[in-house]
Amino acid sequence: MPSWAESQRLLERARHTIPAGVTSNVRAGERPFPLFFAHAAGATLTDVDGNSYIDYVLGQGPMILGHSHPAVLDAVERAMRRGQLFAGQHELEIEVAEALVRLVPCAELCRFGVSGSELVQAAMRLARAVTGRTLILRFEGHYHGWFDNVLLNVATPPDQAGPREQPRLALGSAGQTASVCEDFLLLPWNDLALVEQLFAERGHTIAAIMTEPMMCNTGAIPPAPGFLAGLRRLCDQYGALLYMDEIITGFRLGLSGAQGRFGVTPDLATFAKALAGGFATAALVGRRKYMERFAQDVNHSGTFNGNVISMAAAAAALAELERDDGALYRHMEQLGTTLIDGIRSLAQRHDLPILVQGFPTAFHLSFTELAALHEYRDYALHCDKERYARLKVALLKRGVRVLDRGVWYISAAHTADQIAQTLDIFDAALLEVREL
Ligand SMILES: Cc1ncc(COP(=O)(O)O)c(C=O)c1O
């Protein structure tokens, strides 16, 4: 059992000046309690008590190249010594935009911001401006940031979620105004027949469909065959925009994002996390005919948009990811596959009902008797979250850090040795969880 005494001490201290001791509510629920970290390099994190962990949290996704990647740090250091923020343009912005246009199918024009949440707002504003309509269709279990008008139905308790075919829009926080619900429609994910029915009734009033192209904020649930293509067809038929929120999937499922991997091109897409090797930046990209509205009558602003540090990091990270025709993705896919196969066979050996779902670079692990998760309610109703939480802590105690909600990310810095080590630790952790 490692000592977490220094983390505990710092958390107590933090609580005097920071609510819950954390600066993002997402971190408050971490089991056994929110830890403090001292440094990180490659796929290894070290906490303030000197415990090291093989890291599958990766800063909630951004550290796709691993922590403290030298090429990213060098690029940032070189660039920031020439200035940080000009309230004006600089060439790195164009470099990053050109890379996005080269790599992402729907990207003809780009805008940058600092966080994913902001760019979601820009996407919705643009879709509403383009169509002259207000309603946006979204799906249960998808997360699109913490802002007032989108923190809806991410983790609604099933007894408050309403009937499956007509789910109830539910606020995610005290302080949100209930009227934001009037601007959205809500359905379960992966059920094209329900979307078709809704469009038949109200399609001409819908501005956009907003969707994670693989549901990564609940499970790691791929789109059902034909689902994304069906959304594309309905948007075209009824004059709505298809907006994919690729803030997790972008540069994680591949160089062309989920849209490239699944072969369905949206009108708009947002990218953030894996875009800039751990530095804060986000992008909205899309069709020229729509994005041009930012040059006309749609406002998108921000003091720190396209700042030198973010753009230098993004340019360097994208160059690494693109190198040798995406060699790092082949490495990550191989390691992720070995890890998933190993987890599945250990689960079988321990006779535990563990489901692993998703892709090698982003997969989800749950205790469930279901053969697959298809939508939010499968996770909410049929997965044993308490048992997973115990597994999470059993792994942490032995030197493997994973997210509490079951998603595991792989980075280019993980090694075959670390995967083997992880599987040994997983074996021991399952023994503990099985005996509980
Ligand atoms: C799909 C999706 N959209 C939006 C966001 C919000 O991004 P940020 O946390 O950078 O504001 C997230 C964050 O996890 C996300 O997963």
Side-chain angles (χ1 to χ4, degrees):
M1 179 77 179
S3 164
W4 286 314
E6 185 59 12
S7 264
Q8 190 84 61
R9 198 186 64 74
L10 287 176
L11 186 62
E12 289 310 316
R13 180 175 150 208
R15 282 190 174 126
H16 291 290
T17 47
I18 300 171
V22 299
T23 49
S24 166
N25 270 36
V26 174
R27 296 175 204 153
E30 182 175 1
R31 308 278 189 116
F33 65 90
L35 294 182
F36 281 71
F37 294 92
H39 53 91
T44 307
L45 270 176
T46 305
D47 71 17
V48 289
D49 288 282
N51 306 304
S52 288
Y53 309 93
I54 304 171
D55 185 21
Y56 296 95
V57 176
L58 299 175
Q60 290 270 4
M63 313 309 306
I64 191 158
L65 294 170
H67 296 276
S68 310
H69 191 280
V72 177
L73 295 187
D74 287 350
V76 167
E77 193 179 9
R78 272 196 315 273
M80 75 183 190
R81 290 192 181 283
R82 296 194 301 271
Q84 300 78 48
L85 200 58
F86 306 129
Q89 288 52 251
H90 60 104
E91 197 170 346
L92 282 168
E93 292 173 289
I94 310 174
E95 210 176 293
V96 179
E98 286 172 348
L100 289 173
V101 169
R102 185 167 62 244
L103 295 170
V104 178
C106 82
E108 294 173 356
L109 291 175
C110 315
R111 272 293 177 99
F112 299 113
V114 179
S115 71
S117 293
E118 296 165 58
L119 273 285
V120 168
Q121 299 297 312
M124 294 195 306
R125 180 180 285 175
L126 182 59
R128 286 171 171 147
V130 163
T131 58
R133 305 170 184 173
T134 302
L135 288 172
I136 291 178
L137 170 63
R138 53 174 299 162
F139 299 97
E140 286 186 297
H142 290 213
Y143 177 68
H144 300 289
W146 66 277
F147 288 5
D148 266 3
N149 58 356
V150 286
L151 190 64
L152 307 168
N153 299 87
V154 182
T156 310
D159 61 344
Q160 294 165 37
R164 178 186 174 277
E165 283 73 22
Q166 278 184 308
R168 197 178 69 81
L169 278 151
L171 303 175
S173 168
Q176 281 176 284
T177 48
S179 62
V180 296
C181 295
E182 291 163 17
D183 297 340
F184 291 92
L185 298 164
L186 178 70
L187 283 177
W189 203 51
N190 260 342
D191 188 335
L192 189 59
L194 284 180
V195 184
E196 279 168 345
Q197 192 183 323
L198 181 73
F199 267 75
E201 288 159 14
R202 315 181 66 170
H204 292 293
T205 65
I206 296 174
I209 300 178
M210 170 164 78
T211 183
E212 293 184 50
M214 167 160 109
M215 176 151 58
C216 292
N217 279 291
T218 299
I221 305 182
F227 181 68
L228 293 178
L231 300 185
R232 177 70 276 174
R233 178 174 44 76
L234 287 168
C235 283
D236 291 341
Q237 190 180 342
Y238 287 89
L241 267 57
L242 180 60
Y243 159 38
M244 288 186 188
D245 183 349
E246 292 234 39
I247 283 171
I248 290 181
T249 55
F251 299 107
R252 179 153 287 287
L253 292 197
L255 270 176
S256 54
Q259 55 193 273
R261 189 151 191 159
F262 299 130
V264 176
T265 304
D267 299 298
L268 304 175
T270 40
F271 289 77
K273 298 187 186 275
L275 171 60
F279 286 81
T281 201
L284 168 62
V285 304
R287 293 287 185 218
R288 176 178 295 275
K289 64 180 172 185
Y290 304 133
M291 293 288 290
E292 262 172 356
R293 291 288 292 266
F294 288 124
Q296 298 159 10
D297 59 345
V298 177
N299 186 288
H300 161 245
S301 306
T303 302
F304 291 101
N305 293 359
N307 69 79
V308 170
I309 290 172
S310 297
M311 292 295 104
L318 291 178
E320 283 301 303
L321 292 171
E322 247 191 295
R323 203 160 36 79
D324 299 334
D325 200 18
L328 292 180
Y329 288 97
R330 293 193 286 282
H331 170 72
M332 289 188 277
E333 295 265 335
Q334 197 181 9
L335 292 188
T337 303
T338 307
L339 183 56
I340 291 172
D341 290 348
I343 289 173
R344 284 187 177 138
S345 64
L346 286 171
Q348 214 166 19
R349 179 131 60 80
H350 287 269
D351 196 22
L352 284 166
I354 288 180
L355 173 68
V356 186
Q357 199 174 334
F359 288 93
T361 54
F363 60 87
H364 182 263
L365 203 155
S366 54
F367 287 94
T368 180
E369 299 291 346
L370 295 179
L373 309 181
H374 299 286
E375 58 174 276
Y376 170 71
R377 290 176 195 225
D378 290 342
Y379 176 70
L381 292 167
H382 301 291
C383 293
D384 185 345
K385 270 80 77 185
E386 213 24 67
R387 197 170 206 187
Y388 184 80
R390 292 202 302 266
L391 173 64
K392 183 255 155 118
V393 177
L395 289 168
L396 192 72
K397 283 194 304 195
R398 293 168 172 81
V400 166
R401 186 170 186 243
V402 297
L403 277 169
D404 289 75
R405 64 188 173 81
V407 169
W408 293 46
Y409 295 123
I410 298 285
S411 80
H414 281 93
T415 62
D417 276 356
Q418 286 175 317
I419 300 295
Q421 217 179 319
T422 302
L423 288 171
D424 286 344
I425 290 173
F426 195 82
D427 194 7
L430 281 191
L431 205 60
E432 180 181 322
V433 171
R434 198 182 60 181
E435 281 167 1
L436 280 170

